[in-house]
Amino acid sequence: MIAHEGKERYTALRDVMSNGVKKVFSGRNANAPAKTFKEEFWALKDVSFEIFKGERVGIIGRNGAGKSTLLKILSRITEPTAGTIRIRGRVASLLEVGTGFHPELTGRENIFLNGAILGMKRHEIRQKFDEIVSFAEIEKFLDTPVKRYSSGMYVRLAFAVAAHLEPEILVVDEVLAVGDAAFQKKCLGKMEDVSKNEGRTVLFVSHQMDAIETLTNKCIYLKDGSIFNIGTTGKIIDSYLNTFDSTENIDQFKDRQGNKKAKIVKLQVKKDGKLVKGLKQGESFDIVMGIQPTEKLNFDLSIAIENHKQQPLFCTQLSDIQQPVSKDDYFEFSVRVDLPKMRTGEYLISIAVFKPDKSEFYDVVNHFPLTAIEGILESSHMPADNRWGNLYFPLPWTEVKA
């Protein structure tokens, strides 16, 4: 349930005066707190599936689709409101930084604690201990309380414990994104070994479609808390990319500010004049924006393209290359994005329409889904490996002779 309350967060002098007038004419206490009402909200609903021993299952979907909630339920961290879950085997989970560790205990103590929680004997944990410490690369901090660990150290140890203590089922969320690129690659290699060579069941949530495709043979696509599609990984990834829809109704999009003297009513991604829902690495595309003013106004526009974590990659502005425009009726602008170095992932866009001196912002749209990039255009010669960053720039390297 989501609780909503009508009363404002603070009361200003004008509110006191207004409420006093309301009290006189209505005969009721205008300062009485507003009634609270509750809205029913299901993070997951009507979700049903089977996973068999040794299967490698990817779980994909947009932010808010219910992926993390599903993993918490499967890991028995969160109880389902309705329905049942049947799990056979020991489950090791890596869902959030800090999950499963006691902050006051040292790294050494937490390794033994987690092993005990998984039902392992002390001698079984000892057999794996050196391997865990070596994989996590925390030898110097083994006897330091984990509350003093950085987030990267925390994740390294948590993954090492989860992967090496031989659970029958390994559950991993996007938390691996906290680690550095080298460790991410190391983790993906270990997960591949655990699933393909040791026959253990793996559930993996990620926004990196290449990692999902490499590690899993089955995929669940969640949308708005329900299963939208389920099947072989390649088929489901194609379905997912084709439903990442840049033609979503921006006119009804809620995350925006501005005085609404003008409003962005259209946003489309096109390639060669045709609407597209997904792109390959190396392809250029056009962003088409439609703006509806309510009166004659002077306009400047800016767009920022962001990764799925809402981190801006760059920002460009109309006035960078031409004078702002004056319009009193609907108009459109098209922006060519010629960035052949954009790597695999989901991309968002933030758009601002404003007065050239920035004294007024007419409409600002934040983090609207723009497009998904997956696969590599053969002519682009881009590597398919996993590394830092959303852009690929091969720079010239020269050996400096002594």
Side-chain angles (χ1 to χ4, degrees):
M1 290 289 187
I2 303 174
H4 299 276
E5 189 172 313
K7 192 174 180 180
E8 294 184 8
R9 293 187 179 182
Y10 64 91
T11 304
L13 176 61
R14 66 177 181 272
D15 301 316
V16 175
M17 296 172 65
S18 172
N19 287 339
V21 173
K22 289 178 183 176
K23 183 177 179 181
V24 170
F25 286 99
S26 67
R28 66 176 179 85
N29 184 3
N31 289 315
K35 291 183 179 179
T36 299
F37 65 95
K38 292 184 177 181
E39 172 192 351
E40 187 175 76
F41 173 77
W42 290 87
L44 293 168
K45 193 167 186 179
D46 299 327
V47 172
S48 179
F49 57 88
E50 283 185 306
I51 296 174
F52 298 98
K53 182 179 179 181
E55 283 191 320
R56 308 184 305 276
V57 182
I59 302 175
I60 61 176
R62 295 266 294 279
N63 292 335
K67 304 184 299 296
S68 296
T69 302
L70 176 59
L71 293 195
K72 287 178 181 178
I73 291 173
L74 294 175
S75 302
R76 297 194 175 108
I77 293 171
T78 301
E79 284 291 325
T81 308
T84 58
I85 301 163
R86 293 185 179 90
I87 298 176
R88 294 185 179 92
R90 295 183 303 201
V91 179
S93 304
L94 184 58
L95 306 183
E96 297 174 354
V97 177
T99 300
F101 280 175
H102 192 296
E104 299 295 335
L105 299 181
T106 65
R108 183 190 304 274
E109 292 165 338
N110 270 295
I111 291 172
F112 281 94
L113 174 63
N114 273 258
I117 291 171
L118 284 172
M120 297 182 70
K121 304 292 185 183
R122 192 172 182 83
H123 73 272
E124 293 177 308
I125 303 171
R126 285 186 185 278
Q127 288 175 353
K128 294 287 184 178
F129 186 84
D130 291 341
E131 196 175 345
I132 290 170
V133 173
S134 175
F135 189 94
E137 303 170 6
I138 58 154
E139 291 91 341
K140 293 182 180 179
F141 307 98
L142 192 56
D143 294 305
T144 301
V146 297
K147 66 181 181 181
R148 298 197 176 96
Y149 283 15
S150 67
S151 59
M153 292 167 62
Y154 224 125
V155 168
R156 291 204 301 272
L157 181 58
F159 182 86
V161 169
H164 286 82
L165 290 184
E166 298 187 350
E168 282 86 4
I169 304 165
L170 179 62
V171 178
V172 183
D173 202 347
E174 190 74 69
V175 67
L176 290 181
V178 176
D180 58 50
F183 187 73
Q184 285 181 33
K185 189 173 181 179
K186 190 176 178 181
C187 289
L188 292 173
K190 180 62 180 176
M191 287 171 64
E192 187 172 9
D193 181 58
V194 162
S195 60
K196 292 183 179 179
N197 300 329
E198 299 179 23
R200 287 186 255 166
T201 305
V202 174
L203 277 73
F204 182 41
V205 165
S206 179
H207 287 281
Q208 298 179 24
M209 295 300 111
D210 52 347
I212 291 282
E213 199 161 18
T214 299
L215 286 174
T216 68
N217 53 12
K218 181 178 179 179
C219 201
I220 298 171
Y221 174 12
L222 289 178
K223 186 175 182 182
D224 300 326
S226 299
I227 292 181
F228 183 77
N229 210 343
I230 185 168
T232 58
T233 297
K235 177 182 175 182
I236 300 306
I237 286 177
D238 287 343
S239 169
Y240 171 65
L241 293 178
N242 287 333
T243 55
F244 188 89
D245 192 355
S246 63
T247 61
E248 184 177 335
N249 189 356
I250 195 170
D251 194 33
Q252 303 300 319
F253 194 66
K254 302 295 184 184
D255 190 358
R256 61 205 305 166
Q257 293 87 38
N259 60 21
K260 299 302 178 286
K261 288 184 179 180
K263 190 175 181 183
I264 302 162
V265 296
K266 177 181 178 180
L267 179 67
Q268 296 178 335
V269 175
K270 291 187 175 183
K271 178 172 173 57
D272 301 327
K274 297 180 180 179
L275 287 175
V276 292
K277 299 178 181 179
L279 296 159
K280 290 187 178 294
Q281 295 182 48
E283 288 187 318
S284 300
F285 58 95
D286 297 306
I287 300 171
V288 180
M289 296 171 289
I291 295 99
Q292 179 66 62
T294 58
E295 58 187 84
K296 185 162 185 172
L297 297 167
N298 294 323
F299 288 91
D300 200 354
L301 302 96
S302 71
I303 63 171
I305 293 184
E306 308 158 329
N307 63 19
H308 75 279
K309 294 182 179 179
Q310 301 180 358
Q311 299 166 326
L313 305 182
F314 70 91
C315 181
T316 185
Q317 200 163 298
L318 173 67
S319 55
D320 289 343
I321 56 172
Q322 70 176 70
Q323 292 297 315
V325 296
S326 180
K327 299 287 183 180
D328 61 358
D329 202 357
Y330 176 83
F331 66 99
E332 292 187 0
F333 262 98
S334 177
V335 178
R336 167 58 59 92
V337 181
D338 190 13
L339 283 179
K341 307 304 181 183
M342 287 175 70
R343 293 173 60 78
T344 298
E346 295 175 3
Y347 290 89
L348 312 173
I349 186 171
S350 290
I351 316 168
V353 181
F354 51 94
K355 195 173 180 178
D357 63 3
K358 295 187 178 179
S359 61
E360 286 186 74
F361 282 80
Y362 308 134
D363 195 10
V364 180
V365 173
N366 299 305
H367 319 309
F368 186 81
L370 178 67
T371 191
I373 294 179
E374 181 58 44
I376 302 174
L377 199 66
E378 291 184 5
S379 59
S380 67
H381 306 295
M382 293 179 71
D385 59 357
N386 183 31
R387 63 176 72 178
W388 279 341
N390 299 102
L391 304 177
Y392 166 67
F393 286 104
L395 302 176
W397 290 70
T398 304
E399 182 181 358
V400 179
K401 296 183 180 179

PDB file of all heavy atoms in Angstrom, residues 236-260:
ATOM      1  N   ILE A 236      14.154 -13.421 -26.264  1.00  0.00           N
ATOM      2  CA  ILE A 236      13.598 -12.467 -25.288  1.00  0.00           C
ATOM      3  C   ILE A 236      14.330 -11.131 -25.357  1.00  0.00           C
ATOM      4  O   ILE A 236      13.722 -10.068 -25.222  1.00  0.00           O
ATOM      5  CB  ILE A 236      13.649 -13.049 -23.871  1.00  0.00           C
ATOM      6  CG1 ILE A 236      12.833 -14.333 -23.807  1.00  0.00           C
ATOM      7  CG2 ILE A 236      13.128 -12.052 -22.856  1.00  0.00           C
ATOM      8  CD1 ILE A 236      11.400 -14.198 -24.298  1.00  0.00           C
ATOM      9  N   ILE A 237      15.638 -11.154 -25.576  1.00  0.00           N
ATOM     10  CA  ILE A 237      16.377  -9.890 -25.707  1.00  0.00           C
ATOM     11  C   ILE A 237      15.874  -9.109 -26.914  1.00  0.00           C
ATOM     12  O   ILE A 237      15.683  -7.893 -26.852  1.00  0.00           O
ATOM     13  CB  ILE A 237      17.899 -10.153 -25.800  1.00  0.00           C
ATOM     14  CG1 ILE A 237      18.443 -10.557 -24.425  1.00  0.00           C
ATOM     15  CG2 ILE A 237      18.637  -8.916 -26.317  1.00  0.00           C
ATOM     16  CD1 ILE A 237      19.911 -10.900 -24.412  1.00  0.00           C
ATOM     17  N   ASP A 238      15.638  -9.809 -28.025  1.00  0.00           N
ATOM     18  CA  ASP A 238      15.079  -9.142 -29.205  1.00  0.00           C
ATOM     19  C   ASP A 238      13.724  -8.518 -28.882  1.00  0.00           C
ATOM     20  O   ASP A 238      13.429  -7.386 -29.270  1.00  0.00           O
ATOM     21  CB  ASP A 238      14.936 -10.135 -30.358  1.00  0.00           C
ATOM     22  CG  ASP A 238      16.262 -10.518 -30.966  1.00  0.00           C
ATOM     23  OD1 ASP A 238      17.247  -9.801 -30.724  1.00  0.00           O
ATOM     24  OD2 ASP A 238      16.322 -11.549 -31.673  1.00  0.00           O
ATOM     25  N   SER A 239      12.896  -9.255 -28.156  1.00  0.00           N
ATOM     26  CA  SER A 239      11.572  -8.751 -27.767  1.00  0.00           C
ATOM     27  C   SER A 239      11.703  -7.516 -26.883  1.00  0.00           C
ATOM     28  O   SER A 239      10.989  -6.532 -27.052  1.00  0.00           O
ATOM     29  CB  SER A 239      10.798  -9.849 -27.029  1.00  0.00           C
ATOM     30  OG  SER A 239       9.632  -9.335 -26.430  1.00  0.00           O
ATOM     31  N   TYR A 240      12.654  -7.566 -25.953  1.00  0.00           N
ATOM     32  CA  TYR A 240      12.875  -6.449 -25.030  1.00  0.00           C
ATOM     33  C   TYR A 240      13.323  -5.192 -25.766  1.00  0.00           C
ATOM     34  O   TYR A 240      12.796  -4.103 -25.550  1.00  0.00           O
ATOM     35  CB  TYR A 240      13.923  -6.854 -23.995  1.00  0.00           C
ATOM     36  CG  TYR A 240      14.390  -5.732 -23.110  1.00  0.00           C
ATOM     37  CD1 TYR A 240      13.531  -5.106 -22.215  1.00  0.00           C
ATOM     38  CD2 TYR A 240      15.720  -5.294 -23.157  1.00  0.00           C
ATOM     39  CE1 TYR A 240      13.962  -4.087 -21.389  1.00  0.00           C
ATOM     40  CE2 TYR A 240      16.163  -4.280 -22.335  1.00  0.00           C
ATOM     41  CZ  TYR A 240      15.285  -3.676 -21.456  1.00  0.00           C
ATOM     42  OH  TYR A 240      15.718  -2.656 -20.652  1.00  0.00           O
ATOM     43  N   LEU A 241      14.274  -5.348 -26.673  1.00  0.00           N
ATOM     44  CA  LEU A 241      14.780  -4.186 -27.398  1.00  0.00           C
ATOM     45  C   LEU A 241      13.713  -3.592 -28.306  1.00  0.00           C
ATOM     46  O   LEU A 241      13.651  -2.381 -28.506  1.00  0.00           O
ATOM     47  CB  LEU A 241      16.022  -4.565 -28.207  1.00  0.00           C
ATOM     48  CG  LEU A 241      17.245  -4.942 -27.379  1.00  0.00           C
ATOM     49  CD1 LEU A 241      18.397  -5.349 -28.277  1.00  0.00           C
ATOM     50  CD2 LEU A 241      17.673  -3.790 -26.479  1.00  0.00           C
ATOM     51  N   ASN A 242      12.853  -4.435 -28.833  1.00  0.00           N
ATOM     52  CA  ASN A 242      11.797  -3.952 -29.719  1.00  0.00           C
ATOM     53  C   ASN A 242      10.646  -3.294 -28.972  1.00  0.00           C
ATOM     54  O   ASN A 242       9.799  -2.654 -29.584  1.00  0.00           O
ATOM     55  CB  ASN A 242      11.251  -5.099 -30.576  1.00  0.00           C
ATOM     56  CG  ASN A 242      12.237  -5.511 -31.653  1.00  0.00           C
ATOM     57  OD1 ASN A 242      13.046  -4.714 -32.092  1.00  0.00           O
ATOM     58  ND2 ASN A 242      12.175  -6.775 -32.052  1.00  0.00           N
ATOM     59  N   THR A 243      10.614  -3.455 -27.629  1.00  0.00           N
ATOM     60  CA  THR A 243       9.577  -2.774 -26.844  1.00  0.00           C
ATOM     61  C   THR A 243      10.135  -1.607 -26.056  1.00  0.00           C
ATOM     62  O   THR A 243       9.417  -0.968 -25.309  1.00  0.00           O
ATOM     63  CB  THR A 243       8.897  -3.748 -25.864  1.00  0.00           C
ATOM     64  OG1 THR A 243       9.882  -4.366 -25.047  1.00  0.00           O
ATOM     65  CG2 THR A 243       8.109  -4.800 -26.605  1.00  0.00           C
ATOM     66  N   PHE A 244      11.440  -1.336 -26.216  1.00  0.00           N
ATOM     67  CA  PHE A 244      12.006  -0.109 -25.629  1.00  0.00           C
ATOM     68  C   PHE A 244      11.627   1.018 -26.580  1.00  0.00           C
ATOM     69  O   PHE A 244      12.322   1.325 -27.534  1.00  0.00           O
ATOM     70  CB  PHE A 244      13.520  -0.241 -25.495  1.00  0.00           C
ATOM     71  CG  PHE A 244      14.159   0.894 -24.740  1.00  0.00           C
ATOM     72  CD1 PHE A 244      14.286   0.826 -23.361  1.00  0.00           C
ATOM     73  CD2 PHE A 244      14.614   2.032 -25.385  1.00  0.00           C
ATOM     74  CE1 PHE A 244      14.870   1.862 -22.645  1.00  0.00           C
ATOM     75  CE2 PHE A 244      15.189   3.072 -24.677  1.00  0.00           C
ATOM     76  CZ  PHE A 244      15.322   2.975 -23.311  1.00  0.00           C
ATOM     77  N   ASP A 245      10.464   1.627 -26.336  1.00  0.00           N
ATOM     78  CA  ASP A 245       9.787   2.417 -27.360  1.00  0.00           C
ATOM     79  C   ASP A 245      10.064   3.902 -27.204  1.00  0.00           C
ATOM     80  O   ASP A 245       9.593   4.545 -26.277  1.00  0.00           O
ATOM     81  CB  ASP A 245       8.276   2.160 -27.284  1.00  0.00           C
ATOM     82  CG  ASP A 245       7.544   2.717 -28.487  1.00  0.00           C
ATOM     83  OD1 ASP A 245       8.189   3.382 -29.313  1.00  0.00           O
ATOM     84  OD2 ASP A 245       6.329   2.486 -28.587  1.00  0.00           O
ATOM     85  N   SER A 246      10.829   4.457 -28.136  1.00  0.00           N
ATOM     86  CA  SER A 246      11.120   5.887 -28.088  1.00  0.00           C
ATOM     87  C   SER A 246       9.919   6.732 -28.480  1.00  0.00           C
ATOM     88  O   SER A 246       9.966   7.955 -28.378  1.00  0.00           O
ATOM     89  CB  SER A 246      12.305   6.205 -29.008  1.00  0.00           C
ATOM     90  OG  SER A 246      11.974   5.914 -30.343  1.00  0.00           O
ATOM     91  N   THR A 247       8.844   6.095 -28.956  1.00  0.00           N
ATOM     92  CA  THR A 247       7.647   6.855 -29.320  1.00  0.00           C
ATOM     93  C   THR A 247       6.640   6.893 -28.164  1.00  0.00           C
ATOM     94  O   THR A 247       5.483   7.220 -28.368  1.00  0.00           O
ATOM     95  CB  THR A 247       6.968   6.253 -30.566  1.00  0.00           C
ATOM     96  OG1 THR A 247       6.562   4.914 -30.275  1.00  0.00           O
ATOM     97  CG2 THR A 247       7.916   6.248 -31.747  1.00  0.00           C
ATOM     98  N   GLU A 248       7.084   6.522 -26.973  1.00  0.00           N
ATOM     99  CA  GLU A 248       6.223   6.642 -25.791  1.00  0.00           C
ATOM    100  C   GLU A 248       5.666   8.065 -25.714  1.00  0.00           C
ATOM    101  O   GLU A 248       6.322   9.024 -26.115  1.00  0.00           O
ATOM    102  CB  GLU A 248       7.046   6.322 -24.534  1.00  0.00           C
ATOM    103  CG  GLU A 248       6.250   6.327 -23.253  1.00  0.00           C
ATOM    104  CD  GLU A 248       7.096   5.926 -22.049  1.00  0.00           C
ATOM    105  OE1 GLU A 248       8.107   5.215 -22.240  1.00  0.00           O
ATOM    106  OE2 GLU A 248       6.745   6.329 -20.940  1.00  0.00           O
ATOM    107  N   ASN A 249       4.464   8.220 -25.198  1.00  0.00           N
ATOM    108  CA  ASN A 249       3.776   9.505 -25.206  1.00  0.00           C
ATOM    109  C   ASN A 249       4.446  10.501 -24.262  1.00  0.00           C
ATOM    110  O   ASN A 249       4.177  10.526 -23.070  1.00  0.00           O
ATOM    111  CB  ASN A 249       2.312   9.311 -24.820  1.00  0.00           C
ATOM    112  CG  ASN A 249       1.498  10.579 -25.033  1.00  0.00           C
ATOM    113  OD1 ASN A 249       2.027  11.629 -25.406  1.00  0.00           O
ATOM    114  ND2 ASN A 249       0.208  10.480 -24.794  1.00  0.00           N
ATOM    115  N   ILE A 250       5.306  11.331 -24.803  1.00  0.00           N
ATOM    116  CA  ILE A 250       6.012  12.303 -23.976  1.00  0.00           C
ATOM    117  C   ILE A 250       5.075  13.374 -23.443  1.00  0.00           C
ATOM    118  O   ILE A 250       5.318  13.983 -22.415  1.00  0.00           O
ATOM    119  CB  ILE A 250       7.187  12.951 -24.763  1.00  0.00           C
ATOM    120  CG1 ILE A 250       8.125  13.681 -23.807  1.00  0.00           C
ATOM    121  CG2 ILE A 250       6.666  13.868 -25.871  1.00  0.00           C
ATOM    122  CD1 ILE A 250       9.411  14.131 -24.426  1.00  0.00           C
ATOM    123  N   ASP A 251       3.961  13.584 -24.134  1.00  0.00           N
ATOM    124  CA  ASP A 251       3.004  14.608 -23.697  1.00  0.00           C
ATOM    125  C   ASP A 251       2.451  14.291 -22.313  1.00  0.00           C
ATOM    126  O   ASP A 251       2.080  15.191 -21.567  1.00  0.00           O
ATOM    127  CB  ASP A 251       1.868  14.708 -24.714  1.00  0.00           C
ATOM    128  CG  ASP A 251       1.025  15.956 -24.512  1.00  0.00           C
ATOM    129  OD1 ASP A 251       1.592  16.977 -24.097  1.00  0.00           O
ATOM    130  OD2 ASP A 251      -0.193  15.903 -24.754  1.00  0.00           O
ATOM    131  N   GLN A 252       2.388  12.988 -21.963  1.00  0.00           N
ATOM    132  CA  GLN A 252       1.863  12.578 -20.661  1.00  0.00           C
ATOM    133  C   GLN A 252       2.962  12.262 -19.656  1.00  0.00           C
ATOM    134  O   GLN A 252       2.680  11.853 -18.536  1.00  0.00           O
ATOM    135  CB  GLN A 252       0.974  11.335 -20.837  1.00  0.00           C
ATOM    136  CG  GLN A 252      -0.178  11.505 -21.816  1.00  0.00           C
ATOM    137  CD  GLN A 252      -1.126  12.614 -21.412  1.00  0.00           C
ATOM    138  OE1 GLN A 252      -1.445  12.757 -20.236  1.00  0.00           O
ATOM    139  NE2 GLN A 252      -1.573  13.413 -22.375  1.00  0.00           N
ATOM    140  N   PHE A 253       4.210  12.467 -20.034  1.00  0.00           N
ATOM    141  CA  PHE A 253       5.338  12.142 -19.163  1.00  0.00           C
ATOM    142  C   PHE A 253       5.356  13.062 -17.947  1.00  0.00           C
ATOM    143  O   PHE A 253       5.207  14.279 -18.070  1.00  0.00           O
ATOM    144  CB  PHE A 253       6.643  12.268 -19.952  1.00  0.00           C
ATOM    145  CG  PHE A 253       7.838  11.661 -19.283  1.00  0.00           C
ATOM    146  CD1 PHE A 253       7.918  10.295 -19.078  1.00  0.00           C
ATOM    147  CD2 PHE A 253       8.891  12.456 -18.866  1.00  0.00           C
ATOM    148  CE1 PHE A 253       9.030   9.731 -18.471  1.00  0.00           C
ATOM    149  CE2 PHE A 253      10.005  11.907 -18.260  1.00  0.00           C
ATOM    150  CZ  PHE A 253      10.075  10.536 -18.063  1.00  0.00           C
ATOM    151  N   LYS A 254       5.553  12.498 -16.748  1.00  0.00           N
ATOM    152  CA  LYS A 254       5.357  13.252 -15.499  1.00  0.00           C
ATOM    153  C   LYS A 254       6.607  13.959 -14.977  1.00  0.00           C
ATOM    154  O   LYS A 254       6.514  14.988 -14.322  1.00  0.00           O
ATOM    155  CB  LYS A 254       4.826  12.312 -14.408  1.00  0.00           C
ATOM    156  CG  LYS A 254       3.509  11.612 -14.758  1.00  0.00           C
ATOM    157  CD  LYS A 254       2.372  12.593 -14.904  1.00  0.00           C
ATOM    158  CE  LYS A 254       1.052  11.886 -15.153  1.00  0.00           C
ATOM    159  NZ  LYS A 254      -0.051  12.819 -15.400  1.00  0.00           N
ATOM    160  N   ASP A 255       7.778  13.399 -15.235  1.00  0.00           N
ATOM    161  CA  ASP A 255       8.999  13.945 -14.623  1.00  0.00           C
ATOM    162  C   ASP A 255       9.470  15.168 -15.404  1.00  0.00           C
ATOM    163  O   ASP A 255      10.352  15.101 -16.257  1.00  0.00           O
ATOM    164  CB  ASP A 255      10.086  12.868 -14.601  1.00  0.00           C
ATOM    165  CG  ASP A 255      11.296  13.288 -13.762  1.00  0.00           C
ATOM    166  OD1 ASP A 255      11.283  14.417 -13.237  1.00  0.00           O
ATOM    167  OD2 ASP A 255      12.243  12.496 -13.643  1.00  0.00           O
ATOM    168  N   ARG A 256       8.872  16.301 -15.103  1.00  0.00           N
ATOM    169  CA  ARG A 256       9.205  17.531 -15.826  1.00  0.00           C
ATOM    170  C   ARG A 256       8.895  18.753 -14.968  1.00  0.00           C
ATOM    171  O   ARG A 256       8.136  18.700 -14.018  1.00  0.00           O
ATOM    172  CB  ARG A 256       8.460  17.594 -17.161  1.00  0.00           C
ATOM    173  CG  ARG A 256       6.953  17.606 -17.053  1.00  0.00           C
ATOM    174  CD  ARG A 256       6.274  17.063 -18.304  1.00  0.00           C
ATOM    175  NE  ARG A 256       6.668  17.719 -19.533  1.00  0.00           N
ATOM    176  CZ  ARG A 256       6.397  17.225 -20.742  1.00  0.00           C
ATOM    177  NH1 ARG A 256       5.742  16.086 -20.875  1.00  0.00           N
ATOM    178  NH2 ARG A 256       6.771  17.860 -21.837  1.00  0.00           N
ATOM    179  N   GLN A 257       9.538  19.865 -15.326  1.00  0.00           N
ATOM    180  CA  GLN A 257       9.311  21.156 -14.668  1.00  0.00           C
ATOM    181  C   GLN A 257       9.106  22.227 -15.739  1.00  0.00           C
ATOM    182  O   GLN A 257       9.189  21.945 -16.924  1.00  0.00           O
ATOM    183  CB  GLN A 257      10.501  21.542 -13.774  1.00  0.00           C
ATOM    184  CG  GLN A 257      10.722  20.653 -12.558  1.00  0.00           C
ATOM    185  CD  GLN A 257      11.576  19.449 -12.861  1.00  0.00           C
ATOM    186  OE1 GLN A 257      12.526  19.530 -13.631  1.00  0.00           O
ATOM    187  NE2 GLN A 257      11.237  18.320 -12.260  1.00  0.00           N
ATOM    188  N   GLY A 258       8.869  23.461 -15.306  1.00  0.00           N
ATOM    189  CA  GLY A 258       8.715  24.580 -16.225  1.00  0.00           C
ATOM    190  C   GLY A 258       7.383  25.273 -16.045  1.00  0.00           C
ATOM    191  O   GLY A 258       6.468  24.756 -15.405  1.00  0.00           O
ATOM    192  N   ASN A 259       7.286  26.486 -16.634  1.00  0.00           N
ATOM    193  CA  ASN A 259       6.058  27.270 -16.475  1.00  0.00           C
ATOM    194  C   ASN A 259       4.999  26.938 -17.520  1.00  0.00           C
ATOM    195  O   ASN A 259       3.908  27.499 -17.496  1.00  0.00           O
ATOM    196  CB  ASN A 259       6.372  28.766 -16.487  1.00  0.00           C
ATOM    197  CG  ASN A 259       7.035  29.225 -17.781  1.00  0.00           C
ATOM    198  OD1 ASN A 259       6.931  28.566 -18.827  1.00  0.00           O
ATOM    199  ND2 ASN A 259       7.742  30.352 -17.724  1.00  0.00           N
ATOM    200  N   LYS A 260       5.316  26.042 -18.458  1.00  0.00           N
ATOM    201  CA  LYS A 260       4.384  25.522 -19.466  1.00  0.00           C
ATOM    202  C   LYS A 260       3.881  26.579 -20.448  1.00  0.00           C
ATOM    203  O   LYS A 260       2.838  26.405 -21.059  1.00  0.00           O
ATOM    204  CB  LYS A 260       3.195  24.807 -18.794  1.00  0.00           C
ATOM    205  CG  LYS A 260       3.609  23.612 -17.944  1.00  0.00           C
ATOM    206  CD  LYS A 260       4.379  22.583 -18.774  1.00  0.00           C
ATOM    207  CE  LYS A 260       4.836  21.399 -17.929  1.00  0.00           C
ATOM    208  NZ  LYS A 260       5.960  21.698 -17.036  1.00  0.00           N
TER     209      LYS A 260
END
